[in-house]
Amino acid sequence: MEITDQARDLLDQLLEDEEASCLRLFFAGFGCGEPDIGMTLAEPEADDELHHINSIPVAIDQKIIHLTEKLTIEGKQTMEGPKFQMLGLPEKDC
């Protein structure tokens, strides 16, 4: 998994502003027959794997850890606030 430098800077500020401990990636149900990955600022849960990726603490739900191997999180600042995109997820047939 990779977090780009721009995403790192935005996440670092969000973690500080929200007084959150980490970025958490979790199983968010199924879409088109494939698992979906959710992303939030939250405390790690008991079955999460903890990582530090580009200086960001990341908790990853063990159910979706295999989907994050080639994942890249990109971020940019917009008029509405920071926006993040997950790249490298498996293609869905829908």
Side-chain angles (χ1 to χ4, degrees):
M1 184 174 150
E2 179 184 344
I3 297 175
T4 65
D5 289 346
Q6 188 173 10
R8 176 204 57 214
D9 295 344
L10 293 168
L11 285 166
D12 194 43
Q13 188 62 52
L14 281 173
L15 287 167
E16 183 179 321
D17 291 349
E18 300 295 323
E19 298 180 1
S21 65
C22 68
L23 174 69
R24 182 167 188 271
L25 302 179
F26 60 93
F27 173 71
F30 286 96
C32 302
E34 295 290 328
D36 284 331
I37 297 175
M39 185 168 61
T40 189
L41 300 178
E43 297 296 317
E45 294 194 3
D47 62 344
D48 290 347
E49 284 192 23
L50 299 175
H51 300 269
H52 274 79
I53 302 167
N54 200 5
S55 301
I56 299 294
V58 181
I60 305 172
D61 184 337
Q62 287 185 8
K63 288 180 240 140
I64 52 100
I65 194 87
H66 65 284
L67 298 173
T68 64
E69 293 170 1
K70 297 180 181 178
L71 184 70
T72 298
I73 298 175
E74 290 187 341
K76 66 180 178 178
Q77 187 64 41
T78 70
M79 296 294 284
E80 294 86 32
K83 299 289 180 192
F84 298 94
Q85 184 176 13
M86 289 186 272
L87 305 174
L89 294 172
E91 294 292 322
K92 295 182 178 186
D93 293 328
C94 34

PDB file of all heavy atoms in Angstrom, residues 18-51:
ATOM      1  N   GLU A  18      -8.996  16.454  13.816  1.00  0.00           N
ATOM      2  CA  GLU A  18     -10.051  15.594  14.369  1.00  0.00           C
ATOM      3  C   GLU A  18      -9.610  14.875  15.639  1.00  0.00           C
ATOM      4  O   GLU A  18     -10.399  14.125  16.219  1.00  0.00           O
ATOM      5  CB  GLU A  18     -10.485  14.559  13.325  1.00  0.00           C
ATOM      6  CG  GLU A  18     -11.045  15.158  12.050  1.00  0.00           C
ATOM      7  CD  GLU A  18     -12.350  15.909  12.262  1.00  0.00           C
ATOM      8  OE1 GLU A  18     -13.170  15.443  13.089  1.00  0.00           O
ATOM      9  OE2 GLU A  18     -12.539  16.950  11.612  1.00  0.00           O
ATOM     10  N   GLU A  19      -8.350  15.057  16.032  1.00  0.00           N
ATOM     11  CA  GLU A  19      -7.778  14.368  17.189  1.00  0.00           C
ATOM     12  C   GLU A  19      -7.987  12.858  17.078  1.00  0.00           C
ATOM     13  O   GLU A  19      -8.348  12.177  18.044  1.00  0.00           O
ATOM     14  CB  GLU A  19      -8.346  14.921  18.492  1.00  0.00           C
ATOM     15  CG  GLU A  19      -8.009  16.393  18.699  1.00  0.00           C
ATOM     16  CD  GLU A  19      -8.564  16.966  19.984  1.00  0.00           C
ATOM     17  OE1 GLU A  19      -9.218  16.230  20.761  1.00  0.00           O
ATOM     18  OE2 GLU A  19      -8.342  18.164  20.216  1.00  0.00           O
ATOM     19  N   ALA A  20      -7.786  12.342  15.867  1.00  0.00           N
ATOM     20  CA  ALA A  20      -7.941  10.908  15.596  1.00  0.00           C
ATOM     21  C   ALA A  20      -6.578  10.237  15.686  1.00  0.00           C
ATOM     22  O   ALA A  20      -5.545  10.865  15.458  1.00  0.00           O
ATOM     23  CB  ALA A  20      -8.553  10.698  14.214  1.00  0.00           C
ATOM     24  N   SER A  21      -6.592   8.941  15.983  1.00  0.00           N
ATOM     25  CA  SER A  21      -5.327   8.232  16.149  1.00  0.00           C
ATOM     26  C   SER A  21      -4.793   7.668  14.834  1.00  0.00           C
ATOM     27  O   SER A  21      -3.589   7.509  14.681  1.00  0.00           O
ATOM     28  CB  SER A  21      -5.466   7.117  17.175  1.00  0.00           C
ATOM     29  OG  SER A  21      -6.362   6.131  16.720  1.00  0.00           O
ATOM     30  N   CYS A  22      -5.709   7.335  13.879  1.00  0.00           N
ATOM     31  CA  CYS A  22      -5.212   6.735  12.647  1.00  0.00           C
ATOM     32  C   CYS A  22      -6.257   6.769  11.536  1.00  0.00           C
ATOM     33  O   CYS A  22      -7.439   7.019  11.770  1.00  0.00           O
ATOM     34  CB  CYS A  22      -4.741   5.303  12.884  1.00  0.00           C
ATOM     35  SG  CYS A  22      -6.037   4.137  13.290  1.00  0.00           S
ATOM     36  N   LEU A  23      -5.777   6.479  10.349  1.00  0.00           N
ATOM     37  CA  LEU A  23      -6.627   6.217   9.203  1.00  0.00           C
ATOM     38  C   LEU A  23      -7.015   4.752   9.300  1.00  0.00           C
ATOM     39  O   LEU A  23      -6.166   3.910   9.583  1.00  0.00           O
ATOM     40  CB  LEU A  23      -5.845   6.483   7.909  1.00  0.00           C
ATOM     41  CG  LEU A  23      -6.548   6.132   6.604  1.00  0.00           C
ATOM     42  CD1 LEU A  23      -7.723   7.083   6.365  1.00  0.00           C
ATOM     43  CD2 LEU A  23      -5.569   6.208   5.448  1.00  0.00           C
ATOM     44  N   ARG A  24      -8.295   4.448   9.100  1.00  0.00           N
ATOM     45  CA  ARG A  24      -8.743   3.053   9.188  1.00  0.00           C
ATOM     46  C   ARG A  24      -9.400   2.650   7.883  1.00  0.00           C
ATOM     47  O   ARG A  24     -10.286   3.338   7.380  1.00  0.00           O
ATOM     48  CB  ARG A  24      -9.716   2.856  10.343  1.00  0.00           C
ATOM     49  CG  ARG A  24     -10.155   1.416  10.473  1.00  0.00           C
ATOM     50  CD  ARG A  24     -10.867   1.127  11.793  1.00  0.00           C
ATOM     51  NE  ARG A  24     -11.076  -0.306  11.875  1.00  0.00           N
ATOM     52  CZ  ARG A  24     -12.152  -0.933  11.402  1.00  0.00           C
ATOM     53  NH1 ARG A  24     -13.138  -0.267  10.855  1.00  0.00           N
ATOM     54  NH2 ARG A  24     -12.243  -2.253  11.483  1.00  0.00           N
ATOM     55  N   LEU A  25      -8.932   1.520   7.321  1.00  0.00           N
ATOM     56  CA  LEU A  25      -9.524   0.924   6.134  1.00  0.00           C
ATOM     57  C   LEU A  25     -10.300  -0.302   6.589  1.00  0.00           C
ATOM     58  O   LEU A  25      -9.773  -1.129   7.333  1.00  0.00           O
ATOM     59  CB  LEU A  25      -8.452   0.529   5.123  1.00  0.00           C
ATOM     60  CG  LEU A  25      -7.542   1.658   4.641  1.00  0.00           C
ATOM     61  CD1 LEU A  25      -6.508   1.120   3.659  1.00  0.00           C
ATOM     62  CD2 LEU A  25      -8.328   2.775   4.014  1.00  0.00           C
ATOM     63  N   PHE A  26     -11.553  -0.423   6.132  1.00  0.00           N
ATOM     64  CA  PHE A  26     -12.416  -1.483   6.639  1.00  0.00           C
ATOM     65  C   PHE A  26     -13.280  -2.075   5.535  1.00  0.00           C
ATOM     66  O   PHE A  26     -13.476  -1.468   4.478  1.00  0.00           O
ATOM     67  CB  PHE A  26     -13.299  -0.952   7.771  1.00  0.00           C
ATOM     68  CG  PHE A  26     -14.197   0.192   7.361  1.00  0.00           C
ATOM     69  CD1 PHE A  26     -15.495  -0.048   6.935  1.00  0.00           C
ATOM     70  CD2 PHE A  26     -13.728   1.502   7.375  1.00  0.00           C
ATOM     71  CE1 PHE A  26     -16.314   1.003   6.550  1.00  0.00           C
ATOM     72  CE2 PHE A  26     -14.543   2.561   6.996  1.00  0.00           C
ATOM     73  CZ  PHE A  26     -15.845   2.305   6.581  1.00  0.00           C
ATOM     74  N   PHE A  27     -13.807  -3.275   5.785  1.00  0.00           N
ATOM     75  CA  PHE A  27     -14.740  -3.938   4.887  1.00  0.00           C
ATOM     76  C   PHE A  27     -16.046  -3.168   4.911  1.00  0.00           C
ATOM     77  O   PHE A  27     -16.654  -2.990   5.952  1.00  0.00           O
ATOM     78  CB  PHE A  27     -14.944  -5.387   5.336  1.00  0.00           C
ATOM     79  CG  PHE A  27     -16.007  -6.112   4.576  1.00  0.00           C
ATOM     80  CD1 PHE A  27     -15.805  -6.472   3.247  1.00  0.00           C
ATOM     81  CD2 PHE A  27     -17.209  -6.424   5.172  1.00  0.00           C
ATOM     82  CE1 PHE A  27     -16.787  -7.146   2.536  1.00  0.00           C
ATOM     83  CE2 PHE A  27     -18.195  -7.103   4.479  1.00  0.00           C
ATOM     84  CZ  PHE A  27     -17.983  -7.453   3.153  1.00  0.00           C
ATOM     85  N   ALA A  28     -16.494  -2.698   3.727  1.00  0.00           N
ATOM     86  CA  ALA A  28     -17.698  -1.876   3.639  1.00  0.00           C
ATOM     87  C   ALA A  28     -18.782  -2.542   2.800  1.00  0.00           C
ATOM     88  O   ALA A  28     -19.497  -1.875   2.062  1.00  0.00           O
ATOM     89  CB  ALA A  28     -17.330  -0.512   3.064  1.00  0.00           C
ATOM     90  N   GLY A  29     -18.887  -3.854   2.883  1.00  0.00           N
ATOM     91  CA  GLY A  29     -19.911  -4.571   2.140  1.00  0.00           C
ATOM     92  C   GLY A  29     -19.414  -5.017   0.774  1.00  0.00           C
ATOM     93  O   GLY A  29     -18.218  -4.979   0.486  1.00  0.00           O
ATOM     94  N   PHE A  30     -20.349  -5.417  -0.066  1.00  0.00           N
ATOM     95  CA  PHE A  30     -20.009  -5.903  -1.400  1.00  0.00           C
ATOM     96  C   PHE A  30     -20.616  -4.983  -2.450  1.00  0.00           C
ATOM     97  O   PHE A  30     -21.739  -4.516  -2.301  1.00  0.00           O
ATOM     98  CB  PHE A  30     -20.535  -7.326  -1.617  1.00  0.00           C
ATOM     99  CG  PHE A  30     -19.746  -8.364  -0.895  1.00  0.00           C
ATOM    100  CD1 PHE A  30     -20.154  -8.833   0.331  1.00  0.00           C
ATOM    101  CD2 PHE A  30     -18.578  -8.875  -1.447  1.00  0.00           C
ATOM    102  CE1 PHE A  30     -19.432  -9.795   1.014  1.00  0.00           C
ATOM    103  CE2 PHE A  30     -17.845  -9.838  -0.776  1.00  0.00           C
ATOM    104  CZ  PHE A  30     -18.269 -10.294   0.452  1.00  0.00           C
ATOM    105  N   GLY A  31     -19.860  -4.739  -3.511  1.00  0.00           N
ATOM    106  CA  GLY A  31     -20.345  -4.007  -4.669  1.00  0.00           C
ATOM    107  C   GLY A  31     -19.977  -4.785  -5.907  1.00  0.00           C
ATOM    108  O   GLY A  31     -18.803  -5.105  -6.111  1.00  0.00           O
ATOM    109  N   CYS A  32     -20.961  -5.142  -6.717  1.00  0.00           N
ATOM    110  CA  CYS A  32     -20.724  -5.914  -7.945  1.00  0.00           C
ATOM    111  C   CYS A  32     -20.030  -7.239  -7.649  1.00  0.00           C
ATOM    112  O   CYS A  32     -19.174  -7.691  -8.414  1.00  0.00           O
ATOM    113  CB  CYS A  32     -19.913  -5.106  -8.949  1.00  0.00           C
ATOM    114  SG  CYS A  32     -20.681  -3.563  -9.411  1.00  0.00           S
ATOM    115  N   GLY A  33     -20.336  -7.836  -6.494  1.00  0.00           N
ATOM    116  CA  GLY A  33     -19.770  -9.128  -6.150  1.00  0.00           C
ATOM    117  C   GLY A  33     -18.372  -9.075  -5.550  1.00  0.00           C
ATOM    118  O   GLY A  33     -17.814 -10.097  -5.189  1.00  0.00           O
ATOM    119  N   GLU A  34     -17.788  -7.895  -5.451  1.00  0.00           N
ATOM    120  CA  GLU A  34     -16.445  -7.731  -4.879  1.00  0.00           C
ATOM    121  C   GLU A  34     -16.544  -6.944  -3.573  1.00  0.00           C
ATOM    122  O   GLU A  34     -17.406  -6.078  -3.437  1.00  0.00           O
ATOM    123  CB  GLU A  34     -15.541  -6.968  -5.853  1.00  0.00           C
ATOM    124  CG  GLU A  34     -15.256  -7.694  -7.148  1.00  0.00           C
ATOM    125  CD  GLU A  34     -14.362  -8.904  -6.958  1.00  0.00           C
ATOM    126  OE1 GLU A  34     -13.502  -8.890  -6.060  1.00  0.00           O
ATOM    127  OE2 GLU A  34     -14.536  -9.873  -7.708  1.00  0.00           O
ATOM    128  N   PRO A  35     -15.632  -7.182  -2.629  1.00  0.00           N
ATOM    129  CA  PRO A  35     -15.643  -6.400  -1.392  1.00  0.00           C
ATOM    130  C   PRO A  35     -15.314  -4.934  -1.664  1.00  0.00           C
ATOM    131  O   PRO A  35     -14.493  -4.622  -2.518  1.00  0.00           O
ATOM    132  CB  PRO A  35     -14.548  -7.037  -0.539  1.00  0.00           C
ATOM    133  CG  PRO A  35     -14.146  -8.293  -1.222  1.00  0.00           C
ATOM    134  CD  PRO A  35     -14.612  -8.204  -2.632  1.00  0.00           C
ATOM    135  N   ASP A  36     -15.997  -4.048  -0.942  1.00  0.00           N
ATOM    136  CA  ASP A  36     -15.700  -2.617  -0.997  1.00  0.00           C
ATOM    137  C   ASP A  36     -14.853  -2.245   0.209  1.00  0.00           C
ATOM    138  O   ASP A  36     -15.001  -2.820   1.289  1.00  0.00           O
ATOM    139  CB  ASP A  36     -16.987  -1.789  -0.978  1.00  0.00           C
ATOM    140  CG  ASP A  36     -17.716  -1.805  -2.313  1.00  0.00           C
ATOM    141  OD1 ASP A  36     -17.052  -1.942  -3.361  1.00  0.00           O
ATOM    142  OD2 ASP A  36     -18.956  -1.672  -2.294  1.00  0.00           O
ATOM    143  N   ILE A  37     -13.975  -1.273   0.023  1.00  0.00           N
ATOM    144  CA  ILE A  37     -13.122  -0.778   1.098  1.00  0.00           C
ATOM    145  C   ILE A  37     -13.640   0.582   1.532  1.00  0.00           C
ATOM    146  O   ILE A  37     -13.823   1.481   0.712  1.00  0.00           O
ATOM    147  CB  ILE A  37     -11.658  -0.663   0.644  1.00  0.00           C
ATOM    148  CG1 ILE A  37     -11.096  -2.040   0.277  1.00  0.00           C
ATOM    149  CG2 ILE A  37     -10.804  -0.009   1.732  1.00  0.00           C
ATOM    150  CD1 ILE A  37      -9.690  -1.993  -0.288  1.00  0.00           C
ATOM    151  N   GLY A  38     -13.872   0.718   2.827  1.00  0.00           N
ATOM    152  CA  GLY A  38     -14.245   2.002   3.403  1.00  0.00           C
ATOM    153  C   GLY A  38     -13.019   2.631   4.043  1.00  0.00           C
ATOM    154  O   GLY A  38     -12.071   1.938   4.427  1.00  0.00           O
ATOM    155  N   MET A  39     -13.034   3.956   4.155  1.00  0.00           N
ATOM    156  CA  MET A  39     -11.900   4.685   4.729  1.00  0.00           C
ATOM    157  C   MET A  39     -12.445   5.743   5.686  1.00  0.00           C
ATOM    158  O   MET A  39     -13.352   6.493   5.330  1.00  0.00           O
ATOM    159  CB  MET A  39     -11.094   5.328   3.588  1.00  0.00           C
ATOM    160  CG  MET A  39      -9.847   6.012   4.025  1.00  0.00           C
ATOM    161  SD  MET A  39      -8.750   6.454   2.646  1.00  0.00           S
ATOM    162  CE  MET A  39      -9.745   7.557   1.677  1.00  0.00           C
ATOM    163  N   THR A  40     -11.890   5.778   6.901  1.00  0.00           N
ATOM    164  CA  THR A  40     -12.344   6.729   7.897  1.00  0.00           C
ATOM    165  C   THR A  40     -11.195   7.069   8.840  1.00  0.00           C
ATOM    166  O   THR A  40     -10.167   6.390   8.857  1.00  0.00           O
ATOM    167  CB  THR A  40     -13.549   6.162   8.687  1.00  0.00           C
ATOM    168  OG1 THR A  40     -14.103   7.189   9.502  1.00  0.00           O
ATOM    169  CG2 THR A  40     -13.145   4.975   9.548  1.00  0.00           C
ATOM    170  N   LEU A  41     -11.382   8.098   9.634  1.00  0.00           N
ATOM    171  CA  LEU A  41     -10.460   8.406  10.732  1.00  0.00           C
ATOM    172  C   LEU A  41     -11.091   7.815  11.982  1.00  0.00           C
ATOM    173  O   LEU A  41     -12.210   8.179  12.344  1.00  0.00           O
ATOM    174  CB  LEU A  41     -10.283   9.918  10.898  1.00  0.00           C
ATOM    175  CG  LEU A  41      -9.731  10.658   9.686  1.00  0.00           C
ATOM    176  CD1 LEU A  41      -9.661  12.153   9.987  1.00  0.00           C
ATOM    177  CD2 LEU A  41      -8.363  10.145   9.294  1.00  0.00           C
ATOM    178  N   ALA A  42     -10.420   6.862  12.606  1.00  0.00           N
ATOM    179  CA  ALA A  42     -11.010   6.171  13.753  1.00  0.00           C
ATOM    180  C   ALA A  42      -9.938   5.445  14.545  1.00  0.00           C
ATOM    181  O   ALA A  42      -8.800   5.303  14.094  1.00  0.00           O
ATOM    182  CB  ALA A  42     -12.058   5.169  13.270  1.00  0.00           C
ATOM    183  N   GLU A  43     -10.340   4.965  15.689  1.00  0.00           N
ATOM    184  CA  GLU A  43      -9.474   4.120  16.493  1.00  0.00           C
ATOM    185  C   GLU A  43      -9.383   2.743  15.840  1.00  0.00           C
ATOM    186  O   GLU A  43     -10.362   2.275  15.247  1.00  0.00           O
ATOM    187  CB  GLU A  43     -10.039   3.972  17.909  1.00  0.00           C
ATOM    188  CG  GLU A  43     -10.124   5.267  18.686  1.00  0.00           C
ATOM    189  CD  GLU A  43      -8.760   5.868  18.957  1.00  0.00           C
ATOM    190  OE1 GLU A  43      -7.833   5.122  19.316  1.00  0.00           O
ATOM    191  OE2 GLU A  43      -8.622   7.092  18.792  1.00  0.00           O
ATOM    192  N   PRO A  44      -8.237   2.074  15.942  1.00  0.00           N
ATOM    193  CA  PRO A  44      -8.149   0.714  15.401  1.00  0.00           C
ATOM    194  C   PRO A  44      -9.069  -0.231  16.171  1.00  0.00           C
ATOM    195  O   PRO A  44      -9.326  -0.027  17.354  1.00  0.00           O
ATOM    196  CB  PRO A  44      -6.683   0.332  15.608  1.00  0.00           C
ATOM    197  CG  PRO A  44      -6.041   1.426  16.359  1.00  0.00           C
ATOM    198  CD  PRO A  44      -7.009   2.542  16.533  1.00  0.00           C
ATOM    199  N   GLU A  45      -9.559  -1.232  15.471  1.00  0.00           N
ATOM    200  CA  GLU A  45     -10.373  -2.266  16.119  1.00  0.00           C
ATOM    201  C   GLU A  45      -9.488  -3.465  16.433  1.00  0.00           C
ATOM    202  O   GLU A  45      -8.368  -3.576  15.935  1.00  0.00           O
ATOM    203  CB  GLU A  45     -11.554  -2.630  15.235  1.00  0.00           C
ATOM    204  CG  GLU A  45     -12.513  -1.456  15.093  1.00  0.00           C
ATOM    205  CD  GLU A  45     -13.853  -1.824  14.515  1.00  0.00           C
ATOM    206  OE1 GLU A  45     -14.114  -3.021  14.259  1.00  0.00           O
ATOM    207  OE2 GLU A  45     -14.649  -0.894  14.319  1.00  0.00           O
ATOM    208  N   ALA A  46      -9.998  -4.372  17.245  1.00  0.00           N
ATOM    209  CA  ALA A  46      -9.194  -5.479  17.786  1.00  0.00           C
ATOM    210  C   ALA A  46      -8.541  -6.347  16.716  1.00  0.00           C
ATOM    211  O   ALA A  46      -7.420  -6.809  16.898  1.00  0.00           O
ATOM    212  CB  ALA A  46     -10.050  -6.332  18.706  1.00  0.00           C
ATOM    213  N   ASP A  47      -9.229  -6.583  15.595  1.00  0.00           N
ATOM    214  CA  ASP A  47      -8.671  -7.480  14.578  1.00  0.00           C
ATOM    215  C   ASP A  47      -7.982  -6.737  13.431  1.00  0.00           C
ATOM    216  O   ASP A  47      -7.707  -7.318  12.391  1.00  0.00           O
ATOM    217  CB  ASP A  47      -9.749  -8.424  14.037  1.00  0.00           C
ATOM    218  CG  ASP A  47     -10.889  -7.686  13.358  1.00  0.00           C
ATOM    219  OD1 ASP A  47     -11.019  -6.465  13.556  1.00  0.00           O
ATOM    220  OD2 ASP A  47     -11.661  -8.334  12.617  1.00  0.00           O
ATOM    221  N   ASP A  48      -7.686  -5.456  13.606  1.00  0.00           N
ATOM    222  CA  ASP A  48      -6.990  -4.678  12.584  1.00  0.00           C
ATOM    223  C   ASP A  48      -5.485  -4.933  12.640  1.00  0.00           C
ATOM    224  O   ASP A  48      -4.930  -5.208  13.708  1.00  0.00           O
ATOM    225  CB  ASP A  48      -7.209  -3.171  12.780  1.00  0.00           C
ATOM    226  CG  ASP A  48      -8.624  -2.731  12.465  1.00  0.00           C
ATOM    227  OD1 ASP A  48      -9.386  -3.514  11.863  1.00  0.00           O
ATOM    228  OD2 ASP A  48      -8.960  -1.588  12.819  1.00  0.00           O
ATOM    229  N   GLU A  49      -4.841  -4.822  11.483  1.00  0.00           N
ATOM    230  CA  GLU A  49      -3.383  -4.809  11.420  1.00  0.00           C
ATOM    231  C   GLU A  49      -2.945  -3.359  11.393  1.00  0.00           C
ATOM    232  O   GLU A  49      -3.496  -2.555  10.637  1.00  0.00           O
ATOM    233  CB  GLU A  49      -2.883  -5.521  10.158  1.00  0.00           C
ATOM    234  CG  GLU A  49      -2.964  -7.012  10.239  1.00  0.00           C
ATOM    235  CD  GLU A  49      -2.205  -7.695   9.107  1.00  0.00           C
ATOM    236  OE1 GLU A  49      -1.287  -7.085   8.519  1.00  0.00           O
ATOM    237  OE2 GLU A  49      -2.541  -8.852   8.824  1.00  0.00           O
ATOM    238  N   LEU A  50      -1.956  -3.025  12.204  1.00  0.00           N
ATOM    239  CA  LEU A  50      -1.475  -1.647  12.284  1.00  0.00           C
ATOM    240  C   LEU A  50      -0.206  -1.476  11.465  1.00  0.00           C
ATOM    241  O   LEU A  50       0.702  -2.294  11.545  1.00  0.00           O
ATOM    242  CB  LEU A  50      -1.224  -1.263  13.741  1.00  0.00           C
ATOM    243  CG  LEU A  50      -2.456  -1.325  14.653  1.00  0.00           C
ATOM    244  CD1 LEU A  50      -2.055  -1.048  16.095  1.00  0.00           C
ATOM    245  CD2 LEU A  50      -3.509  -0.336  14.194  1.00  0.00           C
ATOM    246  N   HIS A  51      -0.157  -0.401  10.685  1.00  0.00           N
ATOM    247  CA  HIS A  51       0.992  -0.083   9.837  1.00  0.00           C
ATOM    248  C   HIS A  51       1.272   1.408   9.925  1.00  0.00           C
ATOM    249  O   HIS A  51       0.393   2.192  10.282  1.00  0.00           O
ATOM    250  CB  HIS A  51       0.699  -0.436   8.367  1.00  0.00           C
ATOM    251  CG  HIS A  51       0.392  -1.870   8.141  1.00  0.00           C
ATOM    252  ND1 HIS A  51       1.357  -2.800   7.843  1.00  0.00           N
ATOM    253  CD2 HIS A  51      -0.786  -2.553   8.176  1.00  0.00           C
ATOM    254  CE1 HIS A  51       0.784  -3.986   7.694  1.00  0.00           C
ATOM    255  NE2 HIS A  51      -0.511  -3.862   7.901  1.00  0.00           N
TER     256      HIS A  51
END
